[in-house]
Amino acid sequence: MSESTPGTVAQFPPLAGPPLLGLHEMELNFGPQHPSTHGVLRLVLKVDGERIVSARPDVGYLHRGTEKLFETETFPMVIPHTDRMDYVAAATNNHAYCLVVEKLLGVEVPKRAQYIRVLLDEMQRISSHVLWLATAAIDLGAITPFFYTFRDREVILDLFEEYCGARLTLNCMRIGGLPVDLTPGWLEKVRAFTEPFEKCIDEYEDLLTENRIWKERTVGIAVLDEKRCIEWGVTGPVLRAAGKAWDIRRALPYEVYPELEFDIPVGKNADTYDRYLVRVAEIRQSRRIVLQCLDWLEKNPGTEIRGKVPRVIKPPAGEAYACVEAPKGELGFHLVASGGNKPYRLHVRPPSFINLQALPEMAQGHLVGDLVAVIGTIDIVLGEVDR
């Protein structure tokens, strides 16, 4: 720094590091805007007035170290930890982990257990999608859909609780099948909910699909086309809303999905509104699958629910990957076994973590007021973001 003299301005050398913000730009910390994101997600924005120049997700701490924790637990004891990752879709987390161990172990899961697993997965997809619908609508100022969706979600959670004793972290599957068979009368209760549920979905659409405010807040927001989705590794409803009919249930079929009839809804505009339409259509398809599972289970009562699994589970040394179509996209587990009773390595491919990568691109150029819609459109759960 040069010395200043009276009447002159001191000359400072240029600072090292990244260039400073432009004349009209400022840096802004955004969030948490939801109680569940305290400490686990912050967005660092660079804004020019109300316009977002860039958005950088800063991931915090929630379940950090889960993958390392897996290595300290026996294979069956890993299952409860998977519940906590995406805690609004615990069944699919259980399912993906059990599949990878069964693949390495060479265990065949009984047909009845496969149908019950698929039934639980699809009920979980419905409960996850209606939760997204409720919270996304609230984020944009619409409270009424919350009451309709939670009315139905509570019924599903009650059914989960009756089956396995938990409403959120279900822990409803075991390696080789299921922990217990269905309780008497449970299938009848599921049918009593599922058959008239179609009218409930119509009510959601009556509230939102042609709602002028909802469309103004979602149409053309956070566009991410098919090519960019694939480049980012984005899966689930975000990818399908871009027109790509990629669904693990059809692309890499598992359990009894090849025996079931259902469609893969896709969008064409790749924006937040199309993601809403795809999720609602997927709720309808899940209902269709649940009804087919009910038909099969009612015709085949009381058969085996667990395959031949050794008392101490020790898969042979080797590695395997298995994945399921979780509500948010491809959820996969890569297991490396050394021949012991604990995983040597267990890596998770969580859809929320992968999909969040695309947020900076989806947010760029939008107004700050649209950022809540941009975050909501991904449908992230932070439990599987920081893992």
Side-chain angles (χ1 to χ4, degrees):
M1 183 177 70
S2 63
E3 291 186 6
S4 63
T5 56
T8 64
V9 178
Q11 298 298 312
F12 292 90
L15 295 174
L20 298 174
L21 297 172
L23 183 62
H24 300 291
E25 295 174 354
M26 66 178 291
E27 203 165 71
L28 182 69
N29 285 306
F30 187 89
Q33 88 280 4
H34 185 277
S36 74
T37 60
H38 275 282
V40 293
L41 178 66
R42 176 176 67 109
L43 292 179
V44 182
L45 303 181
K46 189 187 291 182
V47 296
D48 182 352
E50 285 286 314
R51 190 71 61 181
I52 298 170
V53 177
S54 68
R56 179 172 60 83
D58 179 18
V59 176
Y61 302 88
L62 186 61
H63 295 158
R64 186 64 60 92
T66 302
E67 290 177 336
K68 203 64 184 172
L69 184 63
F70 290 156
E71 299 168 13
T72 67
E73 303 284 0
T74 60
F75 284 98
M77 290 307 294
V78 168
I79 299 175
H81 294 291
T82 66
D83 305 341
R84 274 73 179 168
M85 295 180 63
D86 180 355
Y87 39 80
V88 298
T92 49
N93 285 22
N94 288 175
H95 201 167
Y97 170 71
C98 289
L99 281 180
V100 75
V101 180
E102 289 157 5
K103 190 173 183 179
L104 206 54
L105 205 57
V107 170
E108 186 177 348
V109 178
K111 200 67 168 289
R112 179 176 170 80
Q114 292 186 39
Y115 268 99
I116 295 174
R117 281 180 170 190
V118 170
L119 173 66
L120 292 168
D121 276 9
E122 296 307 320
M123 290 174 64
Q124 187 78 89
R125 193 180 317 279
I126 293 172
S127 69
S128 178
H129 279 357
V130 297
L131 176 65
W132 171 83
L133 190 57
T135 53
I138 283 182
D139 284 345
L140 298 183
I143 297 176
T144 306
F146 176 90
F147 299 108
Y148 284 79
T149 53
F150 265 60
R151 170 198 63 190
D152 306 324
R153 185 171 182 267
E154 282 299 305
V155 178
I156 296 175
L157 299 191
D158 286 344
L159 291 165
F160 285 154
E161 185 178 15
E162 184 174 335
Y163 172 61
C164 66
R167 299 166 64 82
L168 205 63
T169 51
L170 300 187
N171 196 234
C172 58
M173 297 185 194
R174 293 291 182 273
I175 297 167
L178 300 163
V180 292
D181 205 344
L182 303 175
T183 53
W186 193 80
L187 289 178
E188 288 79 356
K189 293 177 184 176
V190 175
R191 186 176 287 281
F193 164 76
T194 310
E195 286 186 343
F197 181 56
E198 185 80 14
K199 294 179 181 176
C200 302
I201 306 170
D202 294 339
E203 289 176 345
Y204 307 157
E205 293 222 67
D206 289 343
L207 288 170
L208 291 174
T209 300
E210 294 302 326
N211 184 303
R212 184 169 62 87
I213 299 173
W214 176 254
K215 293 180 77 171
E216 287 180 355
R217 296 297 307 273
T218 56
V219 173
I221 300 297
V223 174
L224 193 71
D225 63 26
E226 179 185 330
K227 179 174 178 292
R228 296 297 290 158
C229 282
I230 293 171
E231 289 173 346
W232 281 112
V234 169
T235 55
V238 179
L239 174 62
R240 289 190 285 275
K244 181 69 176 177
W246 175 264
D247 189 306
I248 301 298
R249 295 173 296 179
R250 284 285 187 242
L252 304 169
Y254 53 96
E255 307 293 23
V256 292
Y257 278 111
E259 300 175 16
L260 301 171
E261 294 181 1
F262 62 98
D263 300 321
I264 309 297
V266 293
K268 56 183 179 181
N269 298 316
D271 58 7
T272 300
Y273 184 69
D274 270 23
R275 288 169 204 134
Y276 153 74
L277 294 177
V278 164
R279 289 190 177 102
V280 171
E282 288 184 359
I283 292 173
R284 294 187 190 278
Q285 294 302 317
S286 290
R287 172 186 173 273
R288 188 178 167 193
I289 294 171
V290 168
L291 288 173
Q292 292 174 65
C293 292
L294 288 173
D295 291 341
W296 192 93
L297 290 167
E298 286 168 352
K299 292 175 183 173
N300 298 272
T303 51
E304 291 292 324
I305 58 163
R306 199 166 185 198
K308 293 181 179 178
V309 179
R311 186 176 294 274
V312 179
I313 295 177
K314 290 183 178 180
E319 58 184 293
Y321 177 79
C323 55
V324 300
E325 186 62 41
K328 298 164 182 62
E330 178 182 343
L331 170 65
F333 281 78
H334 179 207
L335 170 65
V336 180
S338 60
N341 65 344
K342 299 175 182 176
Y344 179 73
R345 290 285 187 273
L346 186 58
H347 174 66
V348 188
R349 186 216 184 273
S352 291
F353 182 69
I354 304 293
N355 293 354
L356 183 63
Q357 296 179 104
L359 187 137
E361 182 172 332
M362 297 165 83
Q364 194 171 29
H366 286 298
L367 299 174
V368 174
D370 292 325
L371 190 56
V372 173
V374 177
I375 299 171
T377 196
I378 303 175
D379 188 19
I380 51 170
V381 162
L382 278 304
E384 66 175 14
V385 166
D386 66 6
R387 293 175 292 161

